[in-house]
Amino acid sequence: LEPRLQGDRYIVIDANVPLHQMDFLERSGIRDVIILQTVLEEVKHNKISIHKRLRTLVSDDSRRFHVFCNESHRETFVQRKPGESQNDRNDRAIRAAASWYQTQLGDSVEVLLLTNDRENLRLAEADGLRAQTVHAFVASLPNAAEVQDLLAPVHGAADADGADDLSADGARSKRKRKDGQHYPPHLNMSELTAGLQSGEFHQGKLRVSRYNPSRGSVGVRTLEGHSEVLVRGRLPMNRAIEGDTVVVKLLPREQWGSAEGKLAGRNASRAAKSGAQGGQGGGADGTGAAAADDDDDDEDDD
């Protein structure tokens, strides 16, 4: 078999997983992932910055992300049917490749298809494939509480509990965590840029307290009289981690507190990673803003 695999479970992903859950792929530590040629090409077509990050994972031997050229294999190539959309054809090709792997490896090895696409999930299960949403898969992990923070809302997809992230009118919605908190959606690059240019947002690197992981500060240069903004709470930090370049928005002045010369905010609305600086995190509001991608040459997913 190519690629040569090592574990007892191999994960096949569709294109929406890297396009919408790249932080999860990069930071969750999952291994033995099969990246199909179909997926690589679709990701490259939609988002070149995500394609670069995916290729970086593939090049890291310790992560065991393997590329399989399913489009060039006679047993996994599928012809587009009359009237079939390209997206439906690609999903069918992904299911065909997952089925082929399972047939080759037998019952001693699990081949799991991860997809947040409702129809792809339904058809995979109808074909007898093992398939889950990303969120259901994460819920089954021993470190689920930690990894769940890496998940981003997805558009019109099936969540682990069957709920959609997109409302009926197409508006963004906040994801409710099992502990009852809502992580705000990240902003896109155009919103970030406008906020930074207007002075409403401030950009800097997040430093997380070594004594309290729910507190941190963001060093800023654009806030007169202050060099840092204090971020208090996991919700205001909005999935950001140590060293992320983030964009923050101040709370109303009457809600400011004082802590060793920093501005303090108890609540935040939206946080973000800054594409201009190549950051990968989220921030906070009052502290707070919202996230963009890390390559401003591409269109935003949101």
Side-chain angles (χ1 to χ4, degrees), residues 151-165:
L151 296 178
V154 288
H155 293 228
D159 197 355
D161 59 1
D164 288 344
D165 286 293

Side-chain angles (χ1 to χ4, degrees), residues 38 42 71 85-95:
T38 303
E42 188 171 343
E71 298 288 355
S85 70
Q86 185 63 46
N87 183 68
D88 288 344
R89 181 268 168 199
N90 288 348
D91 286 346
R92 187 161 56 88
I94 292 168
R95 296 193 300 273

Side-chain angles (χ1 to χ4, degrees), residues 186-198:
H186 290 144
L187 296 182
N188 60 43
M189 179 57 70
S190 61
E191 292 171 305
L192 287 177
T193 301
L196 289 169
Q197 290 177 345
S198 69

